[in-house]
Amino acid sequence: MRKYKGSSKLMLQPRSTQEVSQILDYCNSRCLAVVPQGGNTGLVGGSIPVHDEVIINIGSMNNILSFDKVSGILVCEAGCILENLISFLDNEGYIMPLDLGAKGSCQIGGNVSTNAGGLRLLRYGSLHGSVLGLEVVLANGTVLDMLGTLRKDNTGYDLKHLFIGSEGSLGIVTKVSILTPPKLSSVNLAFLACEDYLSCQKILLEAKRKLGEILSAFEFLDINAMDLVLKHIDGLRDPLPSSKHNFYVLIETTGSMESHDKEKLEAFLVQAIESELLTDGVVAQDINQASSFWRIREGVPEALLKEGATYKYDLSLPPEKMYDLVEEMRGRLGTTSNVVAYGHLGDGNLHLNISTQQYDDSILAKIEPFVYEWTSKQRGSISAEHGIGLMKASKIHYSKSAETVQVMAAIKKVLDPNGILNPYKVLPTSVLSQSGRHQPNKD
Ligand code: MLT
Ligand code: ZN
């Protein structure tokens, strides 16, 4: 994002859990801060060494350890690149339960540590559901073997959940056991246009009702996002070239019977056109066309990067309120910047992006704290899927009560008493020092 610049003299690339354990034991005994790093594709500065933290890069731990063809349970090391896991499973007739634009470089350990959401959470749920087990190394080098492969296990506290989404602040994930769904033979993708946001919401409701169990993704982008993608991403064409539309929606279905799925999708589309919820639309005719439709949606972050600087917000909001924020933001910013909206509408997750030529404090002052206050008033989340990282550590109170943050700080103190793991991230420094723990000295 050209927003964070890391600073470190040392990066270590362990090849085994044992090496991670030895590194952490050494660093902990000397109060040396470390920053765990996966594919370095995060958007909130969570993998950035802020002062001179030692980088522990997990990328060399990239072996697939086992795959059970009957249960679909995959066990692998944390440094496996998501796309490599997707390809491996494809050959086995399975898919990963998560898919995101950064799949070519992000790693499963980073996905787990940030509780990455992505394009298919609507269908397969969050990693809190599909991760069955983890191996984690604690700050003092202790290896926690929680690498279960059981669907059901109610023996005591399910500690793995503490490490899913805690962004390497409680321990370093070294191995992952994950439940993968079977690959189904019939996948369809429709690229649709709506004239107003209310129609997008109604289409979502209809899609849930009429497509039911075959609905696997429901994404949206507004005209500003579409224009940017077509401007910056080479080789893409507007799938609906006859006119411009205010909103675009991608609906994917995944099922096991081609004729049944097509019939359902067609009936849904015909009804949506007749009731004037849709103004135009096209269903991908082959896999190449489907990938070019996905490329439009997945290309928005890259297009924003090419356009200039971006203030990026990743919000969970009630879907009926979501676009009000975009319009209010446009009103506040006038012509100084381009307010771009896209995201996982099916999950109530808005990616609000404010694109400018360069980062500028006067623009930032119009965006923050307004965006956080607005989200908090709706009891929304200031981080739906990107994490808190460095960007929002001091903002966590907009989404979590003071008491809840205190409990988080107390857990951090138990697991990482010297505060060596990913300092300055996730929790505000003020809360950590109150709980009797200091950020390690930057020297
Ligand atoms: C996406 O949905 O495209 C990703 O979360 C990245 C982004 O928000 O820009
Ligand atoms: Zn996203």
Side-chain angles (χ1 to χ4, degrees):
M1 303 304 303
R2 291 192 293 269
K3 196 170 165 194
Y4 302 101
K5 191 169 185 315
S7 164
S8 179
K9 292 190 185 113
L10 179 64
M11 180 172 85
L12 300 172
Q13 293 182 285
R15 283 155 303 180
S16 67
T17 303
Q18 205 45 40
E19 287 187 1
V20 175
S21 167
Q22 285 168 354
I23 291 167
L24 285 178
D25 180 23
Y26 180 91
C27 290
N28 190 49
S29 66
R30 287 158 180 80
C31 282
L32 295 173
V34 303
V35 52
Q37 207 171 72
N40 217 4
T41 59
L43 297 165
V44 291
S47 58
I48 302 297
V50 180
H51 293 295
D52 60 357
E53 295 93 293
V54 174
I55 299 169
I56 303 182
N57 186 294
I58 297 297
S60 302
M61 295 177 62
N62 56 7
N63 293 305
I64 290 172
L65 302 173
S66 67
F67 180 66
D68 183 319
K69 281 189 186 215
V70 177
S71 64
I73 295 166
L74 172 78
V75 182
C76 64
E77 290 184 313
C80 290
I81 289 176
L82 179 59
E83 195 159 54
N84 294 345
L85 296 177
I86 292 172
S87 308
F88 168 84
L89 288 171
D90 191 55
N91 288 330
E92 304 286 342
Y94 281 82
I95 61 168
M96 281 297 277
L98 86 159
D99 188 7
L100 48 148
K103 56 181 160 271
S105 358
C106 67
Q107 297 169 10
I108 191 67
N111 298 147
V112 168
S113 302
T114 55
N115 190 21
L119 303 164
R120 304 227 165 77
L121 186 137
L122 173 76
R123 172 75 167 263
Y124 301 112
S126 92
L127 290 173
H128 281 290
S130 41
V131 169
L132 300 180
L134 291 179
E135 178 188 80
V136 174
V137 184
L138 298 181
N140 64 7
T142 301
V143 178
L144 284 191
D145 178 359
M146 304 174 287
L147 201 59
T149 53
L150 306 170
R151 291 296 300 276
K152 300 177 88 173
D153 176 16
N154 279 353
T155 49
Y157 306 141
D158 199 345
L159 291 182
K160 69 172 181 284
H161 290 293
L162 278 179
F163 302 93
I164 302 175
S166 54
E167 303 176 53
S169 65
L170 300 179
I172 300 187
V173 173
T174 45
K175 293 190 184 109
V176 176
S177 143
I178 187 163
L179 182 66
T180 71
K183 183 179 166 189
L184 301 180
S185 55
S186 152
V187 181
N188 291 295
L189 184 63
F191 195 94
L192 311 169
C194 300
E195 278 331 296
D196 52 56
Y197 181 68
L198 187 60
S199 301
C200 298
Q201 285 177 65
K202 288 185 177 165
I203 286 283
L204 170 60
L205 187 63
E206 285 305 296
K208 285 193 203 167
R209 283 211 178 106
K210 303 263 162 51
L211 299 173
E213 79 293 347
I214 63 168
L215 182 62
S216 52
F218 193 106
E219 296 287 311
F220 93 109
L221 54 157
D222 69 4
I223 186 171
N224 300 37
M226 182 71 167
D227 284 347
L228 272 189
V229 170
L230 295 176
K231 177 176 167 192
H232 288 295
I233 308 291
D234 292 341
L236 283 184
R237 283 187 300 126
D238 185 345
L240 306 172
S242 55
S243 61
K244 290 263 174 210
H245 303 275
N246 292 327
F247 294 92
Y248 297 88
V249 166
L250 277 96
I251 296 181
E252 186 194 68
T253 65
T254 306
S256 56
M257 200 184 280
E258 185 83 33
S259 55
H260 164 266
D261 295 359
K262 279 222 155 84
E263 206 177 302
K264 261 183 142 174
L265 183 61
E266 266 163 35
F268 159 76
L269 292 174
V270 166
Q271 212 198 12
I273 289 170
E274 279 171 5
S275 52
E276 295 182 355
L277 293 177
L278 290 180
T279 43
D280 203 354
V282 55
V283 177
Q285 293 307 302
D286 54 40
I287 195 161
N288 293 331
Q289 204 177 14
S291 345
S292 72
F293 291 178
W294 274 125
R295 186 85 187 97
I296 293 175
R297 167 60 187 85
E298 292 181 326
V300 186
E302 192 182 325
L304 280 158
L305 187 67
K306 291 188 174 156
E307 180 73 0
T310 309
Y311 295 98
K312 227 171 187 356
Y313 301 91
D314 162 41
L315 311 165
S316 266
L317 287 167
E320 66 276 14
K321 291 276 169 21
M322 225 184 231
Y323 211 73
D324 293 352
L325 173 60
V326 180
E327 279 162 354
E328 277 195 51
M329 196 56 93
R330 283 192 181 127
R332 287 175 74 81
L333 291 165
T335 52
T336 58
S337 23
N338 183 13
V339 180
V340 175
Y342 59 99
H344 317 287
L345 186 57
D347 309 323
N349 181 184
L350 168 70
H351 292 316
L352 172 70
N353 287 249
I354 290 123
S355 168
T356 62
Q357 282 317 300
Q358 64 231 346
Y359 291 113
D360 175 336
D361 284 349
S362 67
I363 291 179
L364 183 60
K366 288 188 185 151
I367 306 171
E368 294 182 20
F370 171 79
V371 64
Y372 296 127
E373 286 168 356
W374 202 100
T375 303
S376 187
K377 262 189 216 133
Q378 307 297 332
R379 292 187 65 87
S381 171
I382 62 158
S383 176
E385 61 168 7
H386 294 170
I388 291 282
L390 185 60
M391 178 183 172
K392 291 175 273 189
S394 63
K395 314 282 191 279
I396 195 168
H397 58 276
Y398 286 106
S399 284
K400 290 285 178 323
S401 70
E403 294 77 8
T404 310
V405 175
Q406 283 298 342
V407 174
M408 291 185 192
I411 292 172
K412 167 83 175 164
K413 200 181 165 203
V414 168
L415 294 181
D416 179 19
N418 294 332
I420 65 159
L421 284 172
N422 218 0
Y424 322 103
K425 320 285 169 58
V426 188
L427 294 175
T429 7
S430 53
V431 178
L432 290 170
S433 42
Q434 274 164 30
S435 77
R437 184 198 140 270
H438 304 286
Q439 296 284 359
N441 189 295
K442 77 181 172 87
D443 299 322

